[in-house]
Amino acid sequence: MKIIRTVRGDIASQALGVTATHEHLYCDQRLCRSGLDFPGSYPKMVMRDPDRVVAELADFYAAGGRAIAEMTVHGWGRDVAVLKEISERSGVQVVATSGFYVEDCHPEFVADASIAELEEVLVQEITLGADGTDIRTGLLKSGISRPIIEGPEEKCARAVARAQVRTGVAITTHTSASARFEVEGGNVGMQHLNIFESEGVDPTRVIIGHTDENADIRQLIALAQHGTYVQFDVIGKTHWLLDETRIDLLRQLVDKGYAEHLMLSSDRCREVELKVKGGPGYDHVLHDFVPRLREAGFDEALIHRFLVENPARALAFEPHDNP
Amino acid sequence: MKPRVPYKMLSRPTPPFKLTKENAVLLLMDAQHFTTSRDQGLGLVAAERGITREFDEYYAQVDAAMRNMPRLLAACRRHGLRVMYTVLNAQQPDRSDLLRQLKVSGLPIPVGSPSADIRPEVAPATEDLVLPRGTYSPFAGTDLLSVLREAQADTIVLAGMLANVSVAPTAREAADRDFGVVWVWDASASETLEWHEHTKTGIVGPLIRIRTTQQVIEMLEGVRS
């Protein structure tokens, strides 16, 4: 039987509910070793206050939100025990993630590890527990900072792919902002897919993330045609795309028959994005974007598919006894 | 708030650049006391106006850029790239050789004074080319273009001071003249941090890439595209 692996245990996929599939609840980019020696003008991705996050999740819950896929992986502050505490206090189901973010945020051991060794670390986190606990992760992540998947990021992507094949959990992806204008189609989704498929991954188990940043409908269609999920996960970040444009793109994808490939989220990753700091909070999609979808003619069945059915199908997997 | 860049989204990306001694040169712009020392040149003018504090962000960037630029220079030398410099430095005692827009600015562009000197940590070697300029882009009023063509260069690794004022137009003009450009943003400084971010966002184009010093070093070593 397929289950969804949350930080509070395995649940039936029907029990997931409205899900934001790409958010951060507890992360600290200051732990990454960028090696960059230059003053910064934008705040780093830091979310280290569980009390504040629990309070913010109350609005998400009130707006109907019931689950979050938490995107922080080992290397920049993931703590599954904290995620479990946040989940218990907020009532929001949380799926924790294994895998590797961009190379600056790789854990130290990645540099000298083989693909097989990295794969084994991921499988252990999914099957036995992560961060020194018995709390298991339920999703895999592959992050890419370069315009080409190469070097240590390719090694990690292949480890993620092999762990996917062994465990069955879905893969979600990241591409970095600075590289997106150097990539055909605006993200490395097709490159990712080529690597995953070469390792035996079924494309229907892949969620291509950040597709609503430097968007190109031709790339989005190509990804959906290959069977992947196409995730609009920076909704509200209008320096990338206007939310109106996101709605236009979703409309085109739905009209072409790809509704079952679409998922929505907002990628909260900085405290300044929380409501207490004047930001849009975790409920932007539910509170602001979904009403706009309705105004644009998206019916309740479609919205339910984006927020409930597709995330449940993507996150569900058949657990293996000995992956 | 980061700027929206819908026009940029229309461009197709170009293939990755290779940086080798056969095809690439390093161009360091205005790493001289006039633009980098708080007590000389621009810093002195700011002090005379009583607005020194306005330049805190600029000089914080300069300090970082002047730590990164020597690493960049050393790596480029190690890999045999030809090195070129520009310096703001009028050739005529009355600054009559400056182009009009710099002339009317009233900025005390040095005329062979020590503030025109390149900082010692990135000092030119004997074989390097130093191009005094009295323009915003050194493609005007210097021999840069003919030197690049003579060297059969097709790619310029570019870093320097007042990046939003001088480096950005230089990068664009280089691209207009069919050169690929790698702007090394952490070995450069703009008027403010906000301007630096805007320049990073705005400068990227089909023939212009932005990279950090470390990334350029990895490109030179052939481990990064």
Side-chain angles (χ1 to χ4, degrees):
Chain A
M1 190 186 96
K2 285 190 174 180
I3 53 92
I4 291 170
R5 182 149 290 167
T6 79
V7 292
R8 287 194 280 159
D10 294 350
I11 62 171
S13 58
Q14 308 90 293
L16 193 66
V18 170
T19 303
T21 47
H22 191 113
E23 305 292 340
H24 296 271
L25 303 172
Y26 195 74
C27 62
D28 192 344
Q29 194 189 14
R30 295 170 301 187
L31 298 170
C32 302
R33 353 159 266 295
S34 72
L36 189 62
D37 176 11
F38 203 81
S41 57
Y42 288 112
K44 286 184 181 293
M45 295 184 285
V46 177
M47 201 81 87
R48 294 274 290 183
D49 188 340
D51 291 340
R52 185 170 285 170
V53 167
V54 168
E56 295 273 333
L57 286 176
D59 287 338
F60 176 73
Y61 193 94
R66 292 295 180 269
I68 280 177
E70 214 280 355
M71 290 293 107
T72 312
V73 292
H74 185 37
W76 61 299
R78 184 195 60 192
D79 187 330
V80 291
V82 172
L83 296 183
K84 185 181 181 190
E85 177 203 330
I86 290 171
S87 177
E88 287 170 344
R89 291 172 60 192
S90 66
V92 174
Q93 297 284 8
V94 175
V95 175
T97 304
S98 286
F100 303 100
Y101 191 45
V102 297
E103 60 186 305
D104 288 348
C105 302
H106 288 173
E108 295 286 347
F109 64 80
V110 166
D112 296 323
S114 66
I115 296 176
E117 288 167 335
L118 297 177
E119 169 196 342
E120 196 56 37
V121 169
L122 302 177
V123 170
Q124 297 283 317
E125 289 187 353
I126 292 164
T127 57
L128 297 176
D131 305 332
T133 74
D134 60 359
I135 301 167
R136 297 178 292 183
T137 57
L139 188 60
L140 284 158
K141 180 175 182 178
S142 173
I144 303 297
S145 64
R146 305 184 185 196
I148 290 176
I149 302 179
E150 60 182 358
E153 291 179 344
E154 180 183 355
K155 177 169 75 171
C156 289
R158 292 192 181 279
V160 165
R162 293 179 194 183
Q164 193 288 321
V165 172
R166 282 175 62 186
T167 62
V169 303
I171 300 173
T172 190
T173 71
H174 164 94
T175 54
S176 282
S178 57
R180 284 176 201 128
F181 293 105
E182 300 180 35
V183 180
E184 191 72 46
N187 63 62
V188 295
M190 295 308 291
Q191 291 182 52
H192 248 138
L193 207 49
N194 289 338
I195 287 175
F196 294 156
E197 288 191 289
S198 74
E199 297 288 349
V201 173
D202 173 356
T204 66
R205 300 302 296 139
V206 176
I207 303 161
I208 300 296
H210 300 330
T211 60
D212 58 334
E213 294 189 350
N214 184 10
D216 183 331
I217 188 66
R218 295 164 296 189
Q219 165 91 338
L220 306 185
I221 289 170
L223 290 168
Q225 279 175 337
H226 274 75
T228 73
Y229 292 93
V230 175
Q231 187 170 258
F232 283 36
D233 56 22
V234 289
I235 292 169
K237 296 190 178 182
T238 53
H239 59 281
W240 287 113
L241 278 186
L242 301 173
D243 277 355
E244 292 84 345
T245 304
R246 293 188 170 98
I247 292 171
D248 291 343
L249 292 166
L250 288 168
R251 178 85 265 166
Q252 291 180 68
L253 288 162
V254 167
D255 288 347
K256 291 190 179 299
Y258 298 117
E260 65 184 29
H261 295 258
L262 305 174
M263 297 194 290
L264 311 177
S265 208
S266 62
D267 196 13
R268 297 280 85 90
C269 54
R270 294 177 173 87
E271 291 193 350
V272 293
E273 296 168 351
L274 300 181
K275 286 187 174 177
V276 69
K277 298 278 190 176
Y282 289 102
D283 63 335
H284 173 75
V285 170
L286 300 178
H287 193 263
D288 296 293
F289 191 71
V290 166
R292 288 205 220 175
L293 287 177
R294 291 193 182 102
E295 285 170 18
F298 289 73
D299 63 25
E300 293 306 315
L302 265 179
I303 292 167
H304 191 264
R305 196 175 287 189
F306 299 162
L307 297 174
V308 179
E309 295 169 36
N310 295 347
R313 188 178 346 102
L315 294 170
F317 69 103
E318 191 93 43
H320 307 306
D321 288 340
N322 293 299
Chain B
M1 185 66 168
K2 293 179 181 177
R4 296 175 56 238
V5 287
Y7 172 71
K8 201 172 293 300
M9 297 169 81
L10 300 180
S11 281
R12 289 187 61 185
T14 50
F17 297 152
K18 297 283 184 203
L19 300 181
T20 69
K21 63 183 178 185
E22 284 77 28
N23 79 307
V25 302
L26 173 66
L27 177 60
L28 300 179
M29 294 186 67
D30 311 340
Q32 55 191 125
H33 292 292
F34 180 77
T35 49
T36 65
S37 300
R38 288 172 172 82
D39 59 351
Q40 296 186 46
L42 300 175
L44 203 55
V45 178
E48 287 166 358
R49 292 189 67 125
I51 59 168
T52 295
R53 198 177 294 276
E54 292 294 316
F55 285 81
D56 284 353
E57 285 187 10
Y58 173 67
Y59 285 110
Q61 294 173 77
V62 167
D63 291 345
M66 291 311 302
R67 290 190 294 272
N68 291 319
M69 198 181 275
R71 291 178 58 221
L72 175 69
L73 176 61
C76 288
R77 287 200 195 286
R78 204 160 51 241
H79 288 273
L81 270 64
R82 184 159 186 200
V83 179
M84 303 175 184
Y85 297 79
T86 67
V87 287
L88 279 165
N89 189 13
Q91 302 299 290
Q92 300 299 322
D94 62 356
R95 299 190 177 93
S96 58
D97 55 314
L98 295 179
L99 286 198
R100 190 170 166 229
Q101 58 178 342
L102 264 182
K103 220 182 288 177
V104 300
S105 75
L107 289 171
I109 305 297
V111 189
S113 64
S115 78
D117 291 349
I118 293 169
R119 291 267 294 251
E121 55 267 55
V122 290
T126 317
E127 66 273 20
D128 296 338
L129 180 69
V130 179
L131 295 165
R133 70 178 180 95
T135 58
Y136 284 106
S137 161
F139 281 98
T142 79
D143 295 331
L144 178 61
L145 181 61
S146 57
V147 171
L148 290 169
R149 293 218 163 120
E150 194 177 316
Q152 297 186 306
D154 62 21
T155 302
I156 303 169
V157 180
L158 182 62
M161 301 305 141
L162 284 168
N164 60 308
V165 177
S166 299
V167 177
T170 302
R172 290 208 171 92
E173 187 160 0
D176 278 349
R177 295 175 185 275
D178 281 343
F179 294 98
V181 178
V182 179
W183 176 43
V184 192
W185 65 267
D186 67 345
S188 304
S190 297
E191 276 180 87
T192 63
L193 286 169
E194 186 179 21
W195 263 113
H196 209 56
E197 284 299 326
H198 281 236
T199 305
K200 280 164 65 182
T201 304
I203 200 171
V204 174
L207 282 179
I208 305 175
R209 295 283 178 264
I210 64 167
R211 292 289 184 271
T212 64
T213 298
Q214 182 59 34
Q215 289 169 344
V216 169
I217 292 171
E218 291 173 9
M219 289 171 77
L220 289 164
E221 291 170 349
V223 295
R224 176 184 286 272
S225 299

